[in-house]
Amino acid sequence: MDHTPYIEIDEKILLKNIRKMSKLARENGVNLRPHIKTHKIPRIAKMQLAEGAVGITVAKISEAQVMAEYGIDDIFIAYPVVSEAKAEEICALNQKLSNLIVGVDSREGAEVLNTCAQKHGQTLNVRLEIDTGLARTGVDLQHALRLAEQINRHEALHLQGIFTFKGPVYKGEATTDTDKAGIEEGEVMAALAAQLEESGIKVEDVSVGSTPTAASVVAVEGVTEIRPGTYVFNDSMQVKLGVSERDDCAAQVVTTVVSRPSEDRAVIDGGSKTFATDVQPNHAPLYLKGFGAIQGYPEAEFARMNEEHGVILTNDHELKIGDQVKVIPNHICSTINLHNYVHLKKENGEYEKVKVEARGMLQ
């Protein structure tokens, strides 16, 4: 492979990661419904299903549509749908899949979905999203029971369960203690499920869990499902959190040194069009060094980026123009979304070009 930059996926490590998470879920008696936001590739989703996942999670309707085209028919859209146009697409998808679940976190969203489902003579499975500390989407805990009761009254909606995404957050603050974060996440959700049950609202699923919190949240009684995503590839964030080792990182961005303008600076052909910039370096609680880990050059720092240029600060005179440099990005999910293809490295050393079918699906 000579044309850089490109993403290289080590198939052996990928499969090891998939099997490890499947084993964790299976041994703890919870379902695994991985989020495909990390890879956006139907082929990898099918690998996860083949290893025991019950279905997949997506953020966008368009992602669900891509996965459905490849025969995946058990999909959870973990994102609020609030417009009539999108509700129409949900109902169309609901006719095709064996199981479609949609996230909801407001009375308005529930009403839109209910009206559309009634119009088409359907029943939609929905899950109520709960804010457990990330302060993003999700209803506040104190209002969850009331909203669940409102949803339950809609004739065309089946309130199937509750879900949350919290990640490495503990008591509302970012943390590196993933065990505490996961246990808190599970206990808060299990307690809410018990409260809903006591009020006469059946809760079939309590869906939680990110890659950082999966190992601890699975042990909480009452949790029925986890939805990690990054684990398939891992990245510099997961390594810094202690969730994975460097050798567990299946995805790397391969770049080429195109300039050595000074003794302490090298420039690679990967900038903000190649690497995600949503996870900035030198910020609490991880204090990541640069925009990614440069393989083979531990002292080098991927310090800054322009669109086409990545600036590496290094005094290593062995790093020369024309050399290829492999970088494990801070955030692999957003990095994958910038690329049309990945290159799957087989155990025999050969490469296969694989299209990222669900990249750029914004709607």
Side-chain angles (χ1 to χ4, degrees):
M1 298 292 299
D2 295 321
H3 292 81
T4 60
Y6 65 88
I7 293 178
E8 174 185 292
I9 308 294
D10 189 309
E11 188 177 49
K12 183 178 180 180
I13 299 175
L14 168 65
L15 190 55
K16 181 189 73 172
N17 292 341
I18 289 173
R19 287 173 173 166
K20 180 180 178 181
M21 188 63 74
S22 294
K23 181 181 180 184
L24 175 71
R26 183 173 60 253
E27 290 183 345
N28 285 275
V30 303
N31 290 329
L32 172 63
R33 184 181 291 275
H35 206 308
I36 61 86
K37 69 185 178 68
T38 301
H39 55 76
K40 300 176 174 67
I41 299 172
R43 174 170 169 177
I44 295 179
K46 288 186 174 183
M47 290 171 68
Q48 293 171 303
L49 292 167
E51 292 295 332
V54 298
I56 63 169
T57 305
V58 302
K60 302 294 185 177
I61 298 170
S62 51
E63 291 175 341
Q65 290 166 337
V66 169
M67 295 294 156
E69 288 174 5
Y70 282 83
I72 296 173
D73 66 353
D74 193 330
I75 302 175
F76 172 35
I77 301 176
Y79 201 87
V81 174
V82 298
S83 73
E84 292 181 13
K86 289 189 176 181
E88 287 288 344
E89 290 192 314
I90 289 290
C91 287
L93 197 57
N94 192 44
Q95 288 184 312
K96 300 176 182 178
L97 303 182
S98 64
N99 185 35
L100 175 66
I101 309 168
V102 186
V104 62
D105 79 343
S106 68
R107 175 180 54 81
E108 293 86 350
E111 288 175 353
V112 167
L113 290 171
N114 183 68
T115 298
C116 189
Q118 284 184 321
K119 174 183 172 182
H120 293 282
Q122 297 182 12
T123 299
L124 287 175
N125 292 320
V126 297
R127 282 179 179 171
L128 177 59
E129 183 176 11
I130 310 299
D131 177 16
T132 52
L134 189 61
R136 197 171 62 179
T137 49
V139 64
D140 289 340
L141 281 167
Q142 60 183 339
H143 303 304
L145 174 58
R146 181 182 176 186
L147 182 54
E149 289 172 340
Q150 291 173 341
I151 295 171
N152 226 24
R153 287 196 288 268
H154 287 301
E155 294 182 2
L157 300 184
H158 168 57
L159 182 56
Q160 188 267 346
I162 57 176
F163 78 103
T164 192
F165 178 83
K166 185 160 77 73
V169 171
Y170 180 65
K171 294 187 176 179
E173 300 291 336
T175 181
T176 57
D177 194 331
T178 56
D179 286 342
K180 280 186 178 180
I183 292 169
E184 179 188 52
E185 177 182 2
E187 289 180 345
V188 166
M189 292 293 283
L192 175 60
Q195 181 188 5
L196 294 178
E197 291 274 3
E198 288 172 5
S199 299
I201 299 173
K202 184 173 175 56
V203 180
E204 297 167 32
D205 273 313
V206 177
S207 180
V208 299
S210 57
T211 294
T213 63
S216 54
V217 77
V218 290
V220 177
E221 187 176 354
V223 167
T224 68
E225 179 181 281
I226 54 172
R227 307 184 321 276
T230 311
Y231 76 95
V232 288
F233 297 148
N234 291 308
D235 54 22
S236 290
M237 272 200 302
Q238 306 309 316
V239 172
K240 193 65 183 287
L241 281 166
V243 174
S244 70
E245 301 293 335
R246 187 69 59 84
D247 290 345
D248 299 322
C249 292
Q252 303 178 92
V253 180
V254 184
T255 67
T256 299
V257 177
V258 294
S259 179
R260 283 293 318 236
S262 68
E263 289 188 358
D264 64 351
R265 189 167 81 252
V267 180
I268 56 175
D269 59 355
S272 61
K273 289 183 178 178
T274 301
F275 293 91
T277 58
D278 58 332
V279 178
Q280 292 287 314
N282 304 315
H283 282 266
L286 295 180
Y287 295 102
L288 292 163
K289 179 183 175 183
F291 285 95
I294 302 167
Q295 301 295 79
Y297 301 92
E299 300 305 316
E301 180 181 354
F302 188 178
R304 56 188 173 87
M305 284 187 275
N306 302 112
E307 289 182 73
E308 306 290 356
H309 303 79
V311 177
I312 296 175
L313 301 182
T314 178
N315 291 311
D316 195 326
H317 301 295
E318 295 300 312
L319 191 58
K320 298 180 174 61
I321 291 174
D323 287 350
Q324 285 195 348
V325 175
K326 295 183 177 182
V327 182
I328 299 174
N330 288 349
H331 192 191
I332 191 60
C333 307
S334 303
T335 298
I336 292 284
N337 194 53
L338 297 172
H339 294 253
N340 291 321
Y341 297 89
V342 298
H343 296 266
L344 195 64
K345 183 180 179 182
K346 306 291 219 172
E347 287 197 50
N348 62 8
E350 295 182 357
Y351 286 84
E352 180 183 353
K353 190 176 181 181
V354 179
K355 188 175 181 180
V356 185
E357 297 278 359
R359 74 159 294 250
M361 298 295 170
L362 302 179
Q363 285 78 37

